[in-house]
Amino acid sequence: DAKTTQPTSMDCAEGRAANLPCNHSTISGNEYVYWYRQIHSQGPQYIIHGLKNNETNEMASLIITEDRKSSTLILPHATLRDTAVYYCIVLYSGGYQKVTFGTGTKLQVIP
Amino acid sequence: NAGVTQTPKFRILKIGQSMTLQCAQDMNHNYMYWYRQDPGMGLKLIYYSVGAGITDKGEVPNGYNVSRSTTEDFPLRLELAAPSQTSVYFCASSQGIGYEQYFGPGTRLTVT
């Protein structure tokens, strides 16, 4: 499985867009990029995933670079409830699905 | 749907005791997982299952056992509890390959 690199922490002003980067330079062609978040001691929550096209849902947008070596999760209008640890994960699309969560990015939304 | 449920929420064990952490899901998911999360760290996969009767080791399986007799249930057994097993344990399930995982609320375990 490809490894990911994320900044340890970030701050974002409430109401502004939060852009969370992730580097996955060793990703292979059949590996998806997934994003989860974990709000204080709760179980992680799925946000979004993509293969090579940009994706958008009701929670966030995912921008994947053309070479697929990095991606950015965008929360368009961050709220205080978005304060959480955000995990970027790369998953193989075939075979057994083993997930490796790193330490993620601690996003602090500031009033 | 209740989603993924875990019991108990909290437990304190003495060194050498045993216990079973319960996990159930009502989404008819084939895949189920057990993770542990130590303070300030990411999640580490303990065991996973791709269907009833099929289990496999994850990253940190030592000291744990699992079984999967039904699609719904995936209990995690701790034998001879040790202080190093003090952690928060999360169970998750997914529909299959390429699908998102749904997590339970966690069980906070302390071994003293």
Side-chain angles (χ1 to χ4, degrees):
Chain A
D1 292 338
K3 297 185 84 171
T4 62
T5 305
Q6 299 177 253
T8 303
S9 62
M10 293 179 65
D11 290 339
C12 177
E14 189 177 17
R16 305 296 294 268
N19 298 294
L20 291 90
C22 179
N23 182 286
H24 32 80
S25 58
T26 59
I27 194 170
S28 62
N30 54 8
E31 289 181 316
Y32 285 77
V33 180
Y34 278 75
W35 283 84
Y36 287 79
R37 72 180 183 184
Q38 187 174 23
I39 297 173
H40 184 59
S41 299
Q42 297 179 21
Q45 175 191 25
Y46 165 80
I47 301 173
I48 198 167
H49 75 282
L51 184 62
K52 48 186 171 182
N53 297 324
N54 298 337
E55 302 287 344
T56 296
N57 63 20
E58 65 279 2
M59 289 182 68
S61 294
L62 174 61
I63 309 298
I64 302 174
T65 57
E66 193 168 340
D67 63 7
R68 301 187 69 239
K69 294 186 177 184
S70 65
S71 61
T72 301
L73 177 75
I74 301 172
L75 308 178
H77 305 286
T79 70
L80 298 179
R81 287 174 295 180
D82 292 322
T83 292
V85 177
Y86 288 77
Y87 296 100
C88 169
I89 299 156
V90 171
L91 280 178
Y92 175 49
S93 62
Y96 295 156
Q97 189 178 17
K98 290 190 180 184
V99 178
T100 299
F101 286 78
T103 51
T105 296
K106 168 69 175 172
L107 175 68
Q108 183 71 48
V109 179
I110 303 167
Chain B
N1 286 353
V4 179
T5 57
Q6 293 183 239
T7 56
K9 284 187 169 55
F10 303 93
R11 183 72 186 267
I12 298 174
L13 280 182
K14 293 190 185 305
I15 294 172
Q17 287 185 321
S18 301
M19 78 164 293
T20 299
L21 282 68
Q22 301 291 346
C23 174
Q25 52 92 9
D26 62 359
M27 297 174 282
N28 201 32
H29 286 169
N30 284 323
Y31 284 61
M32 294 188 75
Y33 314 80
W34 273 107
Y35 296 89
R36 60 175 286 173
Q37 185 174 35
D38 299 331
M41 306 296 287
L43 282 78
K44 293 186 178 180
L45 182 65
I46 305 172
Y47 271 96
Y48 67 100
S49 169
V50 301
I54 306 170
T55 63
D56 204 353
K57 296 177 181 178
E59 186 181 356
V60 289
N62 292 343
Y64 308 94
N65 280 299
V66 294
S67 59
R68 184 95 181 272
S69 56
T70 67
T71 299
E72 295 77 20
D73 300 298
F74 190 39
L76 177 72
R77 178 82 178 163
L78 277 73
E79 305 282 2
L80 298 174
S84 61
Q85 293 178 305
T86 293
S87 191
V88 180
Y89 291 83
F90 291 102
C91 177
S93 73
S94 70
Q95 193 171 342
I97 297 168
Y99 290 88
E100 65 270 27
Q101 294 189 17
Y102 294 85
F103 284 80
T107 294
R108 188 174 298 273
L109 176 67
T110 301
V111 182
T112 61

